[in-house]
Amino acid sequence: MRLPDEMIALAAQLADASAAAIRPYFRSPLAIDDKNDHSPVTIADREAERVMRELIQKIRPQDGIIGEEFGHEREDAEWVWVLDPIDGTKSFTVGRALFVTLIGLLHHGKPVLGIINQPIQNERWLGITGQGAWFNGEPVVANQIEQLQGARLGTTGPQYLDAGAAGFARLSEQCRFNTYGGDGYLYAQVASGWLELVVEEGLKLHDFAALAPVVNGAGGRMTDWQGKALDMHSEGRVLAAANPILHAAALPFLLNAV
């Protein structure tokens, strides 16, 4: 199925609107609140999600919405938008332009479109299942490195790995080197050929729904640790690789994680 043009256009509008809401708060004094899971949240997170929700409700009121800050609406709809207004709030609050806005679109529960938007650096990745991936309008293709020895491995931080910590350590020994930090930006790096592998766990739907179409659209492969395609019911243990051969080489390090 080819994604309707109106969906692609709305996704771009959501990225533009959220970026406009976020930019005035970057590197400015603002209060940082703690949510129930002890993760930080700011007025920028809330304003960015609010403007995106308002646009969806105005243009496609029949669609569902799943957002990090304001919960779920019509999540059983045919089309569901999945919003993470600032993925990497810690980076945002310390003035690092590594945070991103994640905009995903599910069709019958499966990710079909993703946008990774960095509003300060004006960087935008768009991925559409079965159609490709683009960086600022230009097609991107992930690296074709097939050996772990040549691959660069990333994760947001070792403190976020629990069941996967041992597997990540063993995988890291086989790779060229590993790097920490980046949140959703890591997956954009894979799509653009700047990184080859990402391992993470504990992600929620709003953390990964937008990422899989970008990685897969660029020729990579992003799945759970069992090698299954991601959907709205996935548990949030993910492996992203620049290509299927590299994915197959890395997956055994995670298969037995408990």
Side-chain angles (χ1 to χ4, degrees):
M1 181 194 73
R2 185 172 181 83
L3 194 67
D5 290 343
E6 66 179 293
M7 298 300 200
I8 302 171
L10 177 52
Q13 287 181 265
L14 298 177
D16 290 342
S18 59
I22 289 167
R23 289 190 189 108
Y25 295 106
F26 186 63
R27 294 181 180 171
S28 68
L30 75 170
I32 304 170
D33 299 324
D34 290 321
K35 294 189 283 191
N36 291 337
D37 63 359
H38 305 293
S39 61
V41 63
T42 71
I43 188 174
D45 298 76
R46 297 184 180 109
E47 282 298 301
E49 184 169 324
R50 182 185 61 78
V51 298
M52 288 191 286
R53 282 177 174 268
E54 288 178 354
L55 267 174
I56 296 167
Q57 290 161 350
K58 177 182 178 181
I59 297 173
R60 288 191 57 88
Q62 72 273 30
D63 290 352
I65 304 173
I66 296 175
E68 180 178 16
E69 307 305 335
F70 298 118
H72 300 184
E73 301 177 38
R74 299 176 298 281
E75 59 188 291
D76 58 349
E78 178 183 1
W79 299 92
V80 178
W81 298 89
V82 184
L83 311 174
D84 190 344
I86 298 182
D87 185 67
T89 300
K90 291 178 181 178
S91 290
F92 174 78
T93 62
V94 298
R96 290 192 305 192
L98 281 178
F99 69 92
V100 289
T101 298
L102 300 179
I103 300 164
L105 178 62
L106 308 180
H107 186 239
H108 294 305
K110 298 179 179 180
V112 293
L113 175 148
I115 282 182
I116 304 173
N117 199 58
Q118 212 308 309
I120 307 305
Q121 299 175 155
N122 293 314
E123 295 179 331
R124 183 176 301 177
W125 288 262
L126 166 66
I128 303 174
T129 299
Q131 294 181 223
W134 299 263
F135 172 51
N136 286 351
E138 296 296 324
V140 288
V141 178
N143 271 335
Q144 296 306 301
I145 293 171
E146 297 177 351
Q147 302 297 321
L148 292 176
Q149 291 80 1
R152 296 160 292 183
L153 169 65
T155 193
T156 296
Q159 69 271 32
Y160 301 112
L161 292 172
D162 182 14
F168 180 88
R170 292 192 297 270
L171 179 59
S172 181
E173 291 173 357
Q174 301 299 314
C175 292
R176 186 174 183 183
F177 61 78
N178 62 271
T179 182
Y180 297 128
D183 297 281
Y185 197 85
L186 290 165
Y187 303 83
Q189 291 175 272
V190 172
S192 282
W194 309 334
L195 189 68
E196 286 74 46
L197 290 167
V198 181
V199 172
E200 294 195 287
E201 68 177 293
L203 303 186
K204 298 181 175 68
L205 179 60
H206 58 254
D207 294 313
F208 66 78
L211 305 176
V214 175
V215 172
N216 295 336
R221 189 174 184 209
M222 184 171 172
T223 69
D224 68 12
W225 290 357
Q226 304 303 310
K228 298 177 182 177
L230 297 171
D231 61 28
M232 69 184 304
H233 303 296
S234 298
E235 64 178 347
R237 294 178 174 181
V238 305
L239 168 64
N243 56 75
I245 294 175
L246 192 61
H247 183 279
L251 188 62
F253 291 87
L254 303 168
L255 277 172
N256 295 322
V258 294

